[in-house]
Amino acid sequence: MVTMNSAQDVPTLPFRVELRPAKAIDRREMERLWRRRVGFEITNTLDAVFDDESAAHGFVATNVETIVGFGVVLMLTAEGARDAFSVSLADYPLGDDVAVFHAGVVDEQWEGRGIGSALMWTRLALAREQYDVDAAVGNAWLRPHRVDSSALFEKFGFERVETVPKFAQQTDGDRDCPDCNGECTCSGALYLWTPMAA
């Protein structure tokens, strides 16, 4: 596992849960978990994770080889990060190299047991130690009555810099939402992390 030189300790995983880089054989199970928890496809993101030429990295948490959570982080230039979001990042100090926290999900039966924290810690450690990024960005989909990633971003020193009404309409246009009974009108929260803030 990657180590960080910071006060943030490695989160403890539940008994028999292991964290490892995603493998191509994991793809179908990752897609099913994402679709069940989020309600739409993740095909393009996983295409990038399993493309050897891409700077996308996926990590899975497994319980006896059953995937109980996963997270994806993309290593991009500042320009690439700006292109990855439909909302403007021009006002934020991204520097040259940026980690984009693109997807993270935990099986509902495993929530609250440190898996999301371990996946976040691992992705942030990779971004800091192996890529020496200048900043990291991510967004939390603020679905009503659902656990979202806001608390996790804040736990790891990300700052909420913007709340965007009807976020999915700006990013995906016509994304269906299980909570909105059709086109998504949920807000999104944009988060920024910089080494100076950590």
Side-chain angles (χ1 to χ4, degrees):
M1 176 164 299
V2 183
T3 59
M4 274 197 286
N5 298 322
S6 75
Q8 181 68 44
D9 292 330
V10 181
T12 304
L13 287 168
F15 178 66
R16 299 184 73 180
V17 172
E18 296 179 354
L19 200 61
R20 63 170 171 75
K23 302 174 189 173
I25 196 165
D26 299 324
R27 182 177 180 133
R28 183 169 286 169
E29 197 171 348
M30 292 167 76
E31 288 174 339
R32 280 195 296 259
L33 174 58
W34 183 264
R35 197 175 312 112
R36 188 176 75 245
R37 290 305 323 261
V38 180
F40 58 90
E41 301 298 319
I42 191 169
T43 303
N44 293 340
T45 299
L46 294 183
D47 286 347
V49 168
F50 298 115
D51 177 354
D52 292 337
E53 302 298 316
S54 172
H57 302 273
F59 295 93
V60 295
T62 62
N63 174 257
V64 193
E65 287 306 310
T66 297
I67 294 173
V68 296
F70 72 87
V72 174
V73 62
L74 312 171
M75 304 304 171
L76 303 171
T77 64
E79 183 179 333
R82 287 184 182 100
D83 290 345
F85 285 85
S86 293
V87 295
S88 175
L89 297 176
D91 295 336
Y92 305 114
L94 298 183
D96 295 324
D97 300 307
V98 181
V100 175
F101 283 70
H102 189 64
V105 67
V106 175
D107 184 286
E108 56 268 65
Q109 296 178 14
W110 290 87
E111 284 180 341
R113 297 171 72 180
I115 293 169
S117 292
L119 288 164
M120 179 67 86
W121 188 93
T122 301
R123 292 180 289 163
L124 189 56
L126 175 80
R128 290 178 68 177
E129 294 181 358
Q130 292 184 23
Y131 287 88
D132 193 25
V133 298
D134 300 310
V137 293
N139 68 285
W141 183 16
L142 305 177
R143 294 167 65 186
H145 315 296
R146 299 283 180 154
V147 175
D148 65 59
S149 53
S150 296
L152 201 53
F153 279 121
E154 291 165 13
K155 175 180 178 179
F156 283 87
F158 285 71
E159 177 188 355
R160 186 186 288 204
V161 293
E162 193 170 346
T163 301
V164 181
K166 299 182 179 181
F167 184 78
Q169 290 180 13
Q170 295 185 42
T171 58
D172 299 325
D174 60 354
R175 176 195 297 172
D176 284 339
C177 175
D179 296 322
C180 297
N181 295 321
E183 186 176 24
C184 186
T185 60
C186 300
S187 295
L190 183 64
Y191 281 91
L192 174 67
W193 174 92
T194 59
M196 285 77 70

